[in-house]
Amino acid sequence: MLLLKSSFPVFNGKISLALISLLFFSSIVSAQVKSGIYKVDYRTDSAFINAYFKPYDQQNTNPDLNISTFYNYQYKPLLDSTTGVRYVVVISKNDPNNKEYYPIQMVWLNKNSPDNFHITYSDSLVRKFVGMELYIGKQRNYWNPVRPYFNNGFIWNQAFDNYSSDDSYRYKLSDSNFYSGKNLFILKSKKFELVSDSVKVDSSTYYSYPLGDFGYRTAKKYLSYKQAFSAFKLKEAKAYQSFLYLPVDVKFHTGTIGSDHFKNLHAGDFIAITKETDEWYWGEHISIDGQVTSGRIYIDDLWIGQRKLQIINGLQFRIKHSSYPEDQSFPNALGPILGIKIYKDKKLIQVIKEPGLVNDTTQIIHPIDVNFDGYPDLQFYSHSGGAGPNYGNNYYLYNPKTKQFDYHQKLSDLSQPTVDVKSKTISAAWRNGAGNWGSEKYKWINHKLTLVEYYEIRYLDDDRIAETHDKMIKGKMRKSTRVVREEELNSPF
């Protein structure tokens, strides 16, 4: 856990009425965190934090005994200053369809290797970085760390939040564990670290019984705890799209196209992407002191692996892939497809980056007319569901207008897909344990993949089974449910 052993001093500075009003308003409506480079503020006045968060209120734990509880709280940094973290890079990902939260991806730029982190990149790197992904609440002020999916060079630490060592105390926790302003955001641990627990009793009412027994008429309980927080102030807003992890040593071209100006970036490093084209990743490399170098990386320099050529419908597919022994990273697959360059008459017409996994080196791409328009589409193995069921594929559909292949999200989300060319339907199946499974059937209606039939069974007690069957009849889904015995089941498809 990145926490200093010594605590921050508690300041008693006064906050102006205007600032308190601003903080109160911000607790209701917080500004979304901007993408860019932020400076870690290790000197944030604790009075500012106390005035905004108001973590705990004085409570009466037992009205009959008149026992009051008083709190003495201090703060300490969430980031350990000994690792040399002065700047963090932030990319804000907003999904307008998600009303509850939006994620932000963070990378801390460290001078030294932080303790208690499993770091996968080379220790020879001058810059040590730690990647985090946080979910930020849209309707209320909270944050949660989650495992980052954006690149395998970054790590996740389950102990990032600070939990109490004793859950027997039931305090009123504030929901304001996250604050964001125009050019600032603050992370505060959602739970506290109990430091001391003491009882101070008025001698005139003391009967020498343990606290909680009826020997006390009045008592005051004093608790002392610490919480971790860090404030991040915007240094420069940036239009970053994503982080690019570098699996190999590459040239980072810093001059104009055609010039020979470059710097070497080593395997395990990263850049923040600002733009992608079929040939280049454009982005910025940020040093531990916040200095920015702009440049680009040639996509072929990242594709280190084996080559495979497939010809489909007159098009040449030049495939680059890695082949690793089967392991947990790629279950039921030999390795990732790094990228595909598609040519027609020796002219490059499209580049597809990381379309899926290799499970058959003889035929990496599986052409199939999945939307029944007469043009072959592309199918790639994408993932295993574990123990057989729930595997999936990625699908790229040929667009005759643009003469390119477009990724289809809904098709790619289907579990155990099966394409029936004769009936022009697509079936899917899923299993949620031994007692719950189902299947689905889709058709293309007005060029949209449409669910036309759904079947699910769920095992109940006493050998009973809840059966659900939805079917489209005259353009509308009709639903039927019943509870049956296993011998009465009659799966429709």
Side-chain angles (χ1 to χ4, degrees):
M1 187 181 302
L2 300 183
L3 298 173
L4 280 181
K5 293 182 179 179
S6 60
S7 64
F8 261 22
V10 177
F11 298 96
N12 293 317
K14 294 183 179 180
I15 307 292
S16 68
L17 180 61
L19 177 59
I20 293 177
S21 299
L22 173 64
L23 292 176
F24 176 76
F25 176 77
S26 298
S27 67
I28 301 174
V29 181
S30 293
Q32 182 169 327
V33 174
K34 299 176 182 178
S35 297
I37 302 172
Y38 286 77
K39 186 172 183 179
V40 180
D41 184 5
Y42 289 101
R43 298 165 300 183
T44 300
D45 193 326
S46 292
F48 172 85
I49 307 297
N50 294 345
Y52 172 68
F53 286 109
K54 294 289 185 185
Y56 302 109
D57 296 326
Q58 180 175 320
Q59 301 173 50
N60 189 318
T61 60
N62 192 328
D64 295 332
L65 302 178
N66 194 27
I67 301 176
S68 299
T69 304
F70 294 87
Y71 304 100
N72 172 30
Y73 48 89
Q74 297 178 334
Y75 290 102
K76 55 185 178 181
L78 191 63
L79 304 185
D80 190 340
S81 61
T82 61
T83 63
V85 181
R86 295 174 58 198
Y87 294 93
V88 300
V89 186
V90 172
I91 298 179
S92 181
K93 302 282 189 177
N94 185 29
D95 180 2
N97 296 321
N98 192 325
K99 304 300 182 183
E100 180 184 353
Y101 65 84
Y102 65 94
I104 65 170
Q105 297 169 355
M106 296 179 63
V107 173
W108 312 338
L109 304 175
N110 306 331
K111 184 182 297 183
N112 305 304
S113 296
D115 296 331
N116 301 323
F117 281 91
H118 175 64
I119 298 176
T120 58
Y121 54 79
S122 172
D123 286 336
S124 64
L125 287 176
V126 175
R127 179 182 59 167
K128 311 297 181 183
F129 57 84
V130 171
M132 291 292 301
E133 184 163 82
L134 310 177
Y135 283 171
I136 307 301
K138 287 185 177 180
Q139 304 298 326
R140 56 191 181 94
N141 298 331
Y142 77 91
W143 64 277
N144 280 315
V146 295
R147 184 181 299 276
Y149 63 88
F150 44 99
N151 272 310
N152 59 6
F154 297 88
I155 59 90
W156 176 64
N157 183 9
Q158 292 181 346
F160 190 69
D161 195 10
N162 186 22
Y163 285 86
S164 168
S165 58
D166 190 340
D167 285 334
S168 64
Y169 296 97
R170 300 291 182 248
Y171 301 135
K172 180 182 178 182
L173 282 168
S174 168
D175 194 33
S176 299
N177 300 297
F178 172 80
Y179 165 77
S180 61
K182 183 177 180 181
N183 296 311
L184 168 77
F185 71 94
I186 297 173
L187 302 178
K188 184 174 74 71
S189 61
K190 294 181 287 298
K191 293 189 178 181
F192 59 89
E193 174 189 345
L194 186 63
V195 178
S196 63
D197 172 12
S198 62
V199 176
K200 183 178 181 180
V201 181
D202 184 345
S203 59
S204 64
T205 59
Y206 178 61
Y207 291 94
S208 69
Y209 286 101
L211 180 64
D213 289 350
F214 288 94
Y216 283 108
R217 293 181 183 275
T218 182
K220 293 181 180 179
K221 190 169 186 176
Y222 292 86
L223 300 179
S224 181
Y225 67 87
K226 297 177 182 178
Q227 283 192 301
F229 83 96
S230 281
F232 303 87
K233 293 185 177 180
L234 184 66
K235 175 179 181 286
E236 187 175 1
K238 296 283 187 175
Y240 293 142
Q241 298 178 3
S242 61
F243 292 113
L244 175 66
Y245 172 74
L246 306 180
V248 293
D249 295 351
V250 296
K251 290 181 179 180
F252 186 56
H253 299 267
T254 55
T256 58
I257 293 180
S259 68
D260 198 31
H261 297 288
F262 67 89
K263 62 185 292 187
N264 288 315
L265 298 183
H266 298 289
D269 210 335
F270 78 96
I271 64 171
I273 296 297
T274 55
K275 183 178 68 172
E276 290 186 39
T277 66
D278 284 347
E279 299 290 333
W280 298 95
Y281 288 105
W282 299 75
E284 295 181 340
H285 185 271
I286 305 97
S287 67
I288 58 174
D289 58 359
Q291 298 300 309
V292 175
T293 302
S294 300
R296 65 194 182 280
I297 295 175
Y298 188 46
I299 187 173
D300 271 11
D301 290 344
L302 298 173
W303 292 2
I304 306 299
Q306 302 184 34
R307 298 179 183 272
K308 175 75 176 180
L309 176 65
Q310 280 188 240
I311 298 178
I312 302 172
N313 200 29
L315 301 177
Q316 285 190 340
F317 293 79
R318 300 180 186 180
I319 308 164
K320 202 74 169 287
H321 67 93
S322 296
S323 293
Y324 304 115
E326 187 173 349
D327 58 24
Q328 293 182 354
S329 300
F330 307 107
N332 301 326
L334 301 175
I337 303 171
L338 302 173
I340 299 174
K341 288 189 172 183
I342 306 174
Y343 291 82
K344 183 175 183 180
D345 300 328
K346 298 183 179 180
K347 180 182 179 181
L348 179 65
I349 60 174
Q350 186 177 2
V351 175
I352 301 178
K353 303 170 185 175
E354 301 179 356
L357 302 175
V358 179
N359 64 349
D360 180 5
T361 55
T362 303
Q363 188 180 32
I364 295 177
I365 303 175
H366 300 275
I368 183 172
D369 185 6
V370 73
N371 59 349
F372 316 115
D373 63 352
Y375 297 97
D377 306 305
L378 309 181
Q379 174 182 289
F380 303 93
Y381 176 68
S382 65
H383 68 272
S384 168
N390 299 334
Y391 66 85
N393 300 319
N394 286 334
Y395 291 93
Y396 289 78
L397 275 56
Y398 183 73
N399 187 331
K401 293 183 179 179
T402 62
K403 301 187 184 306
Q404 292 195 338
F405 294 88
D406 300 329
Y407 176 73
H408 197 284
Q409 181 72 58
K410 192 171 183 178
L411 268 175
S412 302
D413 288 340
L414 297 182
S415 176
Q416 296 172 236
T418 301
V419 179
D420 190 332
V421 177
K422 186 177 180 180
S423 64
K424 294 186 177 182
T425 60
I426 299 170
S427 298
W430 54 268
R431 182 178 295 276
N432 184 19
N436 184 211
W437 56 267
S439 53
E440 303 161 5
K441 185 176 289 186
Y442 294 83
K443 284 188 176 182
W444 293 96
I445 300 177
N446 296 327
H447 305 289
K448 291 185 178 181
L449 188 66
T450 306
L451 178 67
V452 295
E453 199 164 357
Y454 176 86
Y455 181 75
E456 178 183 353
I457 69 168
R458 181 167 51 88
Y459 281 79
L460 307 174
D461 296 333
D462 302 325
D463 296 326
R464 296 177 304 142
I465 301 174
E467 181 187 63
T468 300
H469 184 200
D470 300 353
K471 188 174 183 178
M472 181 174 287
I473 301 175
K474 295 183 179 180
K476 293 185 178 181
M477 293 294 288
R478 308 294 183 181
K479 184 174 183 177
S480 63
T481 60
R482 60 175 187 158
V483 177
V484 298
R485 301 289 181 181
E486 186 166 7
E487 59 271 15
E488 299 175 285
L489 288 176
N490 185 19
S491 179
F493 55 92

